[in-house]
Amino acid sequence: MSDLFNEDFLVSSPDYSAVMNEKIIPALEKSCETRTLNGKDRLPLHCSLYRADNSRGTVLVLHGFTENAYKYAELIWSLLMNRFSVVAYDQRGHGRSGRVNGLKHPSLTHVDRFDDYVDDLKTVCDTVLPDFPKPWSIFAHSMGGAVASLYLERFPSTFSRAFLCAPMIAPATAGIPSGAALFLCQAACSLGCGKHKPFFMKYYSGPEDFSTSCATDPARFAWYDNIKHSRQDFWNSVPSYRWTAEAIRVTKSILAQGAPESIVCPVLLSTADHDFSVMPDPQKQFIDRVPKGKHIFVKDSRHEIFRSANEVFFPWWHTVLSFLKEEEQ
């Protein structure tokens, strides 16, 4: 076992894909309880539920834009081995959950209202979490971090602590001023193109390029890239005009007067060193206003810190686990 995993049960073997496919995935599939909930407007939400032996609490894992819960298998495995039960689900328009009608390609990612994501999270918390042991914590990445931030501001009593991984407090807009990008997206929506992709983007067409990815570990990147390529329901890759407009507007909601100040649980936010997906300054503005907020900066990482090379990933994840275990002290 020691040849395969580090002290926190992350994969340390150089044959990463073999360990994932032959050890971790079969074990998770055996222990997973799947459940489908009706989210906002009765859109189905695919939930993956895991109960740890002698559980010390429960962590809700909330994925980011164009992702799904399956992508977090290594983290879920580590949480279980550290005696945390896990609740994870594919957010609307992603993975195995439902999509709205009228989308032209399976890689197109759309939402009518960003608050629909928050309403879905409320449904999961109200319906599933009561069956799982407390304390309840949340680990949320990127877009999931934006959803979690809004939820924590509106429903501050649910979670005992929250870890936000490179959260999308404000999305990066490829050098275009956010106001101009919002204007263009709103114009497209007014012309009936809200469910279309921006004209300069391409649909998913096959394996992706590691050099331009959000990962820094080739083995972790290759493992999931192969899975994504083989499963059409995992092809999410491009936003709709409506999704982009909603993502830009969410910053104002998260940073509204008094909003971050209303969060009562401890929050730890990690910023990636080389992040071209979200903007770092709004992350700092947000966490500085959270009463029990702390901030860490992760060197030599890209947006997906959980797909970093071992020398970056291992100590960062150990910090995550230590933060989640503080509730016991």
Side-chain angles (χ1 to χ4, degrees):
M1 185 69 75
S2 61
D3 293 335
L4 302 181
F5 304 107
N6 80 338
E7 61 178 319
D8 293 320
F9 291 90
L10 298 175
V11 179
S12 58
S13 167
D15 198 347
Y16 182 85
S17 291
V19 176
M20 290 297 298
N21 294 333
E22 297 171 15
K23 173 66 178 180
I24 292 181
I25 295 302
L28 290 180
E29 289 178 344
K30 184 178 180 179
S31 64
C32 181
E33 172 191 345
T34 60
R35 186 172 176 185
T36 301
L37 303 180
N38 287 324
K40 177 77 173 181
D41 299 324
R42 299 189 65 79
L43 203 72
L45 302 175
H46 182 278
C47 301
S48 300
L49 314 177
Y50 306 87
R51 301 180 189 274
D53 294 333
N54 192 24
S55 181
R56 69 202 321 160
T58 302
V59 179
L60 192 154
V61 175
L62 194 59
H63 69 76
F65 175 63
T66 72
E67 296 182 332
N68 52 75
Y70 194 101
K71 187 175 180 179
Y72 289 74
E74 185 179 7
L75 301 191
I76 293 171
W77 166 260
S78 174
L79 288 168
L80 283 170
M81 294 299 99
N82 279 277
R83 297 182 21 241
F84 287 104
S85 296
V86 177
V87 171
Y89 70 98
D90 293 354
Q91 299 198 68
R92 63 175 48 233
H94 292 76
R96 297 151 291 186
S97 288
R99 289 166 165 77
V100 299
N101 295 326
L103 301 181
K104 293 186 174 181
H105 195 275
S107 66
L108 189 60
T109 310
H110 174 83
V111 73
D112 291 328
R113 299 165 52 255
F114 202 90
D115 276 351
D116 291 346
Y117 292 131
V118 184
D119 292 339
D120 289 344
L121 177 55
K122 182 71 163 58
T123 296
V124 173
C125 290
D126 291 348
T127 306
V128 176
L129 277 183
D131 296 333
F132 281 77
K134 289 186 175 183
W136 299 334
S137 303
I138 186 167
F139 172 92
H141 172 65
S142 192
M143 182 193 83
V147 176
S149 298
L150 290 171
Y151 184 93
L152 292 167
E153 292 172 349
R154 298 172 188 178
F155 309 101
S157 63
T158 303
F159 293 105
S160 295
R161 55 190 54 237
F163 192 102
L164 305 180
C165 173
M168 191 190 75
I169 307 301
T173 51
I176 304 172
S178 59
L182 179 59
F183 176 81
L184 291 172
C185 290
Q186 289 176 324
C189 291
S190 69
L191 295 173
C193 298
K195 293 181 178 179
H196 294 202
K197 67 174 180 63
F199 67 91
F200 55 87
M201 293 186 174
K202 296 181 179 180
Y203 291 127
Y204 178 82
S205 60
E208 297 176 332
D209 184 356
F210 169 71
S211 66
T212 58
S213 75
C214 295
T216 59
D217 185 84
R220 288 184 170 89
F221 170 83
W223 174 76
Y224 180 72
D225 193 51
N226 288 333
I227 291 169
K228 180 172 181 174
H229 182 53
S230 68
R231 295 189 54 161
Q232 183 172 296
D233 54 351
F234 287 177
W235 282 5
N236 295 87
S237 59
V238 293
S240 67
Y241 279 113
R242 172 66 68 188
W243 186 94
T244 306
E246 291 293 304
I248 294 171
R249 280 196 287 254
V250 81
T251 304
K252 184 176 180 181
S253 297
I254 294 174
L255 297 179
Q257 184 175 0
E261 291 80 1
S262 68
I263 299 175
V264 299
C265 72
V267 179
L268 185 56
L269 186 155
S270 59
T271 294
D273 189 6
H274 303 289
D275 199 329
F276 46 82
S277 299
V278 299
M279 299 172 63
D281 289 345
Q283 293 176 353
K284 190 69 165 57
Q285 294 171 29
F286 168 79
I287 199 64
D288 283 349
R289 291 170 56 190
V290 175
K292 297 179 182 178
K294 294 183 179 180
H295 181 241
I296 57 175
F297 184 80
V298 186
K299 292 183 178 181
D300 300 320
S301 65
R302 295 180 190 167
H303 183 56
E304 295 176 355
I305 304 172
F306 60 95
R307 293 207 293 171
S308 296
N310 291 353
E311 60 268 21
V312 174
F313 179 35
F314 287 1
W316 171 79
W317 183 246
H318 190 76
T319 299
V320 176
L321 291 175
S322 298
F323 173 73
L324 296 174
K325 292 174 183 177
E326 285 177 12
E327 185 71 18
E328 303 171 358
Q329 300 175 3

